[in-house]
């Protein structure tokens, strides 16, 4: 991913029991711009989708769409 030139949205489940959040954060730190990190507090690996709502999705999609223009 080091040479990837498109926007990358990284969502981290703060209580992920499968992929430790420190690994996800390390991945994010090593990505080139444009990039954006969302840490979903109270979320586990399989529960994050139930925690985020339409506003979160709009924000993520807005970032991805805006970063490509």
């Amino acid at each position: 991913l080091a040479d990837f030139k498109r926007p990358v949205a990284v969502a981290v489940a703060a209580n992920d029991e499968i992929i430790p959040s420190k690994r996800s954060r390390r991945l994010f730190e090593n990505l080139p711009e444009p990039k954006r990190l969302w840490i979903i507090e109270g979320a586990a690996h399989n529960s994050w989708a139930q925690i985020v709502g339409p506003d979160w999705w709009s924000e993520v999609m807005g970032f991805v769409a805006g970063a490509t223009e």
Side-chain angles (χ1 to χ4, degrees), residues 6-10 34 36 38 57-69:
R6 308 290 295 197
V8 178
V10 177
R36 182 122 182 245
W38 285 267
W57 285 107
S58 293
E59 186 177 338
V60 172
M61 296 310 294
F63 163 72
V64 173
T68 61
E69 295 174 354

Side-chain angles (χ1 to χ4, degrees), residues 4-5 7 15 23-25 28 30 35-38 47 61 66:
F4 191 68
K5 304 292 187 227
N15 300 327
R23 289 193 180 182
S24 300
R25 291 174 196 221
F28 176 78
N30 289 301
K35 63 183 178 181
R36 182 122 182 245
L37 176 69
W38 285 267
S47 69
M61 296 310 294

